[in-house]
Amino acid sequence: LAAILLDGADEGLVRAAGQQLARTAPLDARLRVLGPVPAPLSRLRGQYRYRLLIKADKGVHLPRTLRAWLQDQRFPKVRIKVDVNPHYFL
């Protein structure tokens, strides 16, 4: 499991970045992309937050897959954080 958290001051830009990430996800039957959806704390310190969850079957090297997917993704004014094997979802 991996969590991708997007945040930024403009909710529309953050949501659009999440939708773009979901559309460009690797086409692999062993991966499942859930979201984007507002994070449980959808606004924190003036920043809007959206989350995608990536479920991967055993045998998928998730860090390598995420790195290849996200390396060319650039969204002005939107920060992307990745947490592989997240312990909590806030």
Side-chain angles (χ1 to χ4, degrees):
L1 191 66
I4 299 175
L5 182 67
L6 306 155
D7 67 7
D10 184 323
E11 184 178 15
L13 290 176
V14 176
R15 183 177 41 243
Q19 291 168 343
Q20 176 67 21
L21 284 178
R23 279 193 302 272
T24 61
L27 298 175
D28 187 333
R30 302 172 301 164
L31 292 177
R32 186 168 168 208
V33 178
L34 306 171
V37 297
L41 297 173
S42 61
R43 190 162 188 217
L44 185 64
R45 292 187 287 271
Q47 300 290 303
Y48 291 95
R49 299 161 25 110
Y50 275 74
R51 177 179 305 278
L52 289 98
L53 292 177
I54 314 304
K55 293 177 74 173
D57 290 347
K58 291 182 180 181
V60 174
H61 191 275
L62 197 52
R64 184 180 318 134
T65 302
L66 292 173
R67 192 175 309 112
W69 172 29
L70 298 174
Q71 72 182 357
D72 295 325
Q73 303 290 338
R74 301 283 186 264
F75 303 105
K77 301 181 183 180
V78 175
R79 183 172 43 182
I80 300 173
K81 298 179 200 173
V82 177
D83 187 5
V84 177
N85 296 324
H87 291 269
Y88 62 93
F89 293 99
L90 298 176

